[in-house]
Structure formats: structure tokens, C-alpha cells
């Protein structure tokens, strides 16, 4: 695998990392239980009618540096059209910054569409400045600048009692977040992130790299300078069968977030716990493991637990990585979660596409969408 990196000397925007991912959900209360019990998140903060917000309720879940916000509308306006169009899915990939106003002004000047003008939010724990711009589909980026804020998440949220339901599995931080866009739109969105956000192209490969027997995609990764923010952008490509990206676009009703990849430093332990707690993962063909070491070379882990747990391995010129993909985490075949452990490798698992596509297509076929 070729890692092609056109690094920038410095960032255009003072972004630090993904601050949180907000998922609009039909029933955030029940979804929160799933993410706490199955994925090991802890409920840390809450906002809703009890805190003076009338139109929505939000649960803030955290595991180490990964924060998910689950939000459900309480009234007809606002987020209901989003939910009926897309189902439970990612609305906001919020980005932590030292200057929300500058990020907003700069991206809007360069062509980003305004969703929310900069505003200060405040409570007894401190202040934050937030502003929001649009990206692909109905997805947005909120710039989050906390100003001497000492509370549990953001002004307006209250801390919740210690979470006795949470069953942590060792998830550490978000590694990358993948967007699926429509046919022939990938370049347009890569340009958006390079020109409007000042990101650089990180790794690229196209459908020529992937056997056309399998449902194909094209993908390009954009990232900020410190590489804490990495956004692969996928578009469908023509294969013999319907592309998995096309299936996503149909069921999501347009572009949106396909998966969130979360880092662990012990994938065998993490996946053992997640499986025991009810998370469903893609099944990998048994033959994948027969010649694994011939393909990836020596690795620290024993093959048996990887085979048993269906964990994949891939190598690039910097090292290797282990990864696994959940089945979709809602009824539509749209959003799923990747768990990844990097051991030097900076790439995204291209060597696993063929094995994965066999598995994904088996699932697509069972849904009658192939
Ligand atoms: Fe990924």
C-alpha cells in the first residue's frame, strides 16, 4: 500500500480533534442504554425539559476521549424531518478548536454553507463559543471553543450521577470518520475539505485497486495536519453487483456518515467484551485466516483469537493494524462502527476489502439489496 501524504506545513484552521459526534435518534433514551451496555460508554451529561430545553433531549456518552451525543426531538419541528428521511444517523461531527469564530469565518469565506452563526453559550460552569457549517448531505460540523468551562460537557448540560450501567470495553479515541457521497461526488467533497477546511489528501486508492468481482467503491482520505482528524470520503463505483455505498445512499436517502472508527490498545480484549455484551460484527470467511501471515508477515498476536473473534489484519509500509466492523447499528443498513488497533500502520485496511466485501455482500443479499 502506498501512503501518499501531501502534508501541509501548518493548518489553516486551529482544530485539535473531533470533539464529539451527535447522532439523531428516534429514541435516545433506549439507544443510550445500548451504547452503554454493549459498547461500554458512560452517561456523563444530559439536557432536556428538566434543564429548560423544550424541543429536544440529549444524552452525552463518553469512553476515554470518545464522546457520542444521542438526541431525540420532542416537538414536530426541527429534527423530525431529518429522522424520517435518514433514520438514526450522524448529524454533527463537532470539531474542537481554540477559535470557533475564525473557523466559521474562514470556512464560510471559502464557500461553506452557514448553519448557525457564532454564538456564546453560558452557564454557571463557564462559557463556550459554537458555530456550525454544513458538509455532505444533511451532516454538519460544529466548531466548539470552550472558554474557562469546567462543567461536564458544554454549557446547558447537567452532569449525571455516576453511571452504574456502563460496561467499558477499552475504547480510546476516534481514529477516523467515513462519509459516503453519491456517484461522482467524491472529488467535489475532497475539494471541499482541502479548499474550505485546508485539509490535505492523506491516502488515496480507487476502484482499480479492488477486484471488480466485488461491489466497488472509490475512496480518498483527507486529514488535518496533526492527523487527529481523518475523514475518508467514499463514492460508489461500478462493479458486477450493487455497490455497498449505493445501498447506503438509497437507505440513508443521500450522503452521510458511513462509519466511525474507534481506537483501542487491545483489540482482542475489546472485541471479546463487546461480543459478550451483544455487539454484532461482520462474519469473515474462514479462509481469510489460512494464509493471513503470508499476506501480512509476522504479528504479535496469536492467530486463533483473531480467527475466533473475526478480527482482520492489514499492513502498510509503516507497520500493521487490526480492525473489525460491526453490522449496522440501526435497522437501516447505514451507520456502523469500526474498532481499530494501530501498530504503526497509518492506512485504513485496503488489503481487507476483498474479504470484507464478501461478507458485506452476503448481508446485502440477505436484505435483498444486491
Ligand atoms: Fe474505516
Amino acid at each position: 500500500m502506498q501512503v501518499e501524504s501531501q502534508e501541509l506545513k501548518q493548518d489553516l484552521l486551529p482544530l485539535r480533534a473531533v470533539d464529539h459526534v451527535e447522532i439523531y435518534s428516534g429514541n435516545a433514551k433506549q439507544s443510550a442504554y445500548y451504547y452503554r451496555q454493549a459498547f461500554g460508554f458512560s452517561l456523563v451529561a444530559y439536557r432536556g425539559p428538566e434543564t429548560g430545553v423544550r424541543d429536544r433531549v440529549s444524552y452525552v456518552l463518553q469512553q476515554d476521549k470518545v464522546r457520542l451525543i444521542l438526541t431525540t426531538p420532542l416537538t414536530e419541528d426541527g429534527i423530525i424531518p431529518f429522522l424520517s428521511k435518514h433514520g438514526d444517523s450522524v448529524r454533527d461531527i463537532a470539531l474542537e478548536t481554540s477559535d470557533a469564530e475564525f473557523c466559521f469565518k474562514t470556512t464560510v469565506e471559502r464557500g461553506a454553507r452557514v448553519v448557525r452563526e457564532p454564538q456564546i453559550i453560558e452557564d454557571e460552569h463557564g462559557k463556550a463559543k459554537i458555530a456550525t457549517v454544513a458538509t455532505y448531505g444533511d451532516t454538519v460540523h460544529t466548531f466548539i471553543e470552550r472558554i474557562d468551562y469546567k462543567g461536564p460537557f458544554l454549557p446547558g448540560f447537567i452532569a449525571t450521577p455516576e453511571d452504574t450501567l456502563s460496561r467499558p470495553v477499552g475504547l480510546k479515541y476516534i481514529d477516523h470518520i467515513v462519509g459516503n457521497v453519491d456517484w461522482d461526488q467524491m472529488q467535489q467533497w475532497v475539494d471541499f475539505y482541502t479548499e474550505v477546511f485546508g485539509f490535505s489528501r492523506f491516502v488515496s486508492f480507487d476502484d482499480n485497486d479492488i477486484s471488480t468481482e466485488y461491489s466497488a467503491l472509490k475512496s480518498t482520505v483527507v486529514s488535518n495536519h496533526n492527523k487527529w482528524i481523518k475523514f475518508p470520503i467514499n463514492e460508489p463505483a461500478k462493479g458486477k453487483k450493487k455497490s455497498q455505498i449505493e445501498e447506503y445512499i438509497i437507505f440513508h436517502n443521500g450522503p452521510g456518515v458511513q462509519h466511525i472508527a474507534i481506537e483501542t490498545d487491545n483489540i482482542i480484549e475489546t472485541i471479546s467484551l463487546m461480543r459478550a455484551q451483544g455487539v454484532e460484527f461482520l462474519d469473515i470467511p474462514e479462509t481469510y485466516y489460512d494464509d493471513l501471515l503470508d499476506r501480512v508477515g509476522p504479528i504479535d498476536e496469536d492467530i486463533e483469537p483473531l480467527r475466533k473473534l473475526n478480527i482482520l489484519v492489514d499492513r502498510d509500509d509503516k507497520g500493521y493494524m487490526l480492525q473489525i466492523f460491526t453490522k449496522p447499528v440501526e435497522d437501516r443498513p447505514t451507520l456502523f462502527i469500526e474498532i481499530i488497533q494501530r501498530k504503526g500502520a497509518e492506512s485504513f485496511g485496503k488489503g481487507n476489502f476483498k474479504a470484507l466485501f464478501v461478507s458485506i455482500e452476503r448481508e446485502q443479499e440477505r436484505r435483498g439489496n444486491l
Side-chain angles (χ1 to χ4, degrees):
M1 132 118 348
Q2 187 195 4
V3 176
E4 166 203 309
S5 206
Q6 303 161 356
E7 263 182 49
L8 297 171
K9 291 279 179 298
Q10 62 178 58
D11 278 318
L12 171 69
L13 307 175
L15 300 174
R16 289 196 196 105
V18 172
D19 186 89
H20 65 266
V21 175
E22 183 172 28
I23 295 173
Y24 282 177
S25 166
N27 189 338
K29 184 172 189 161
Q30 290 187 5
S31 292
Y33 184 81
Y34 172 67
Y35 284 104
R36 290 153 78 195
Q37 289 268 294
F39 286 78
F41 285 87
S42 296
L43 177 63
V44 297
Y46 172 85
R47 184 176 71 181
E50 300 85 348
T51 68
V53 174
R54 306 306 301 173
D55 67 339
R56 64 187 64 190
V57 59
S58 296
Y59 298 80
V60 181
L61 306 179
Q62 187 158 1
Q63 189 165 182
D64 204 332
K65 294 187 175 59
V66 190
R67 265 196 300 239
L68 298 182
I69 319 300
L70 300 169
T71 295
T72 291
L74 299 175
T75 56
E76 262 185 51
D77 45 298
I79 28 190
I80 294 253
F82 179 101
L83 270 178
S84 67
K85 185 172 177 192
H86 303 302
D88 285 25
S89 56
V90 172
R91 163 63 170 172
D92 193 350
I93 303 167
L95 302 168
E96 187 194 354
T97 177
S98 53
D99 193 338
E101 184 109 37
F102 178 82
C103 291
F104 177 84
K105 230 175 111 232
T106 306
T107 52
V108 170
E109 270 168 17
R110 290 169 169 244
R113 182 168 60 79
V114 175
V115 175
R116 175 171 46 189
E117 297 277 343
Q119 65 181 79
I120 301 251
I121 48 176
E122 194 170 359
D123 68 11
E124 71 271 27
H125 302 297
K127 284 187 211 176
K129 191 176 272 187
I130 57 171
T132 307
V133 298
T135 178
Y136 48 79
D138 288 325
T139 318
V140 301
H141 290 300
T142 296
F143 302 113
I144 308 266
E145 175 192 350
R146 293 185 181 81
I147 306 160
D148 293 326
Y149 175 73
K150 303 277 191 295
F153 172 56
L154 276 174
F157 285 80
I158 54 163
T160 46
E162 195 192 337
D163 190 343
T164 52
L165 284 179
S166 165
R167 301 193 286 199
V169 300
L171 302 182
K172 300 282 181 199
Y173 54 86
I174 290 175
D175 184 89
H176 59 275
I177 298 178
V178 180
N180 280 347
V181 299
D182 219 329
W183 292 94
D184 303 320
Q185 284 188 358
M186 180 185 75
Q187 194 53 50
Q188 174 196 326
W189 288 104
V190 168
D191 292 347
F192 172 82
Y193 281 106
T194 54
E195 286 162 21
V196 177
F197 275 65
F199 286 4
S200 51
R201 276 178 69 136
F202 180 50
V203 182
S204 68
F205 49 84
D206 63 25
D207 55 337
N208 297 327
D209 293 325
I210 302 162
S211 169
T212 51
E213 266 184 74
Y214 301 93
S215 71
L217 61 85
K218 294 182 184 176
S219 187
T220 299
V221 184
V222 291
S223 89
N224 73 328
H225 182 59
N226 69 14
K227 295 190 182 135
W228 289 357
I229 304 171
K230 295 190 285 284
F231 295 153
I233 308 287
N234 294 335
E235 71 178 22
K238 287 208 166 29
K240 285 187 181 165
K241 296 167 179 173
K242 185 188 279 176
S243 169
Q244 53 166 301
I245 312 303
E246 192 179 355
E247 187 198 32
Y248 176 101
I249 298 288
I250 291 167
F251 280 87
H252 184 78
N253 276 312
V257 170
Q258 179 206 41
H259 73 266
I260 304 167
I262 307 176
E263 174 80 16
T264 169
D265 55 20
N266 188 339
I267 197 165
I268 291 176
E269 202 175 292
T270 295
I271 301 308
S272 300
L273 287 168
M274 288 174 76
R275 281 190 180 276
Q277 290 169 190
V279 178
E280 297 174 309
F281 294 93
L282 289 180
D283 299 321
I284 300 306
E286 184 69 12
T287 50
Y288 174 87
Y289 296 92
D290 294 345
D291 54 353
L292 178 62
L293 294 182
D294 298 336
R295 275 181 284 131
V296 301
I299 56 173
D300 303 335
E301 294 73 14
D302 291 332
I303 299 289
E304 252 342 280
L306 301 180
R307 185 201 299 267
K308 196 173 129 241
L309 296 168
N310 279 204
I311 294 168
L312 303 164
V313 190
D314 197 19
R315 186 178 285 279
D316 64 22
D317 53 356
K318 302 241 169 67
Y320 75 98
M321 55 97 111
L322 305 110
Q323 65 183 165
I324 188 168
F325 299 88
T326 71
K327 291 184 179 177
V329 289
E330 60 292 296
D331 291 307
R332 298 193 199 194
T334 51
L335 177 68
F336 60 89
I337 309 291
E338 172 184 351
I339 308 299
I340 181 168
Q341 182 179 5
R342 292 191 182 277
K343 293 196 151 181
E346 291 188 352
S347 49
F348 297 81
K350 187 185 75 176
N352 289 322
F353 275 22
K354 188 170 171 177
L356 270 174
F357 283 12
V358 172
S359 177
I360 287 170
E361 284 177 358
R362 203 184 290 134
E363 299 282 322
Q364 257 179 280
E365 197 157 26
R366 289 177 55 209
R367 294 190 286 259
N369 294 333
L370 200 59

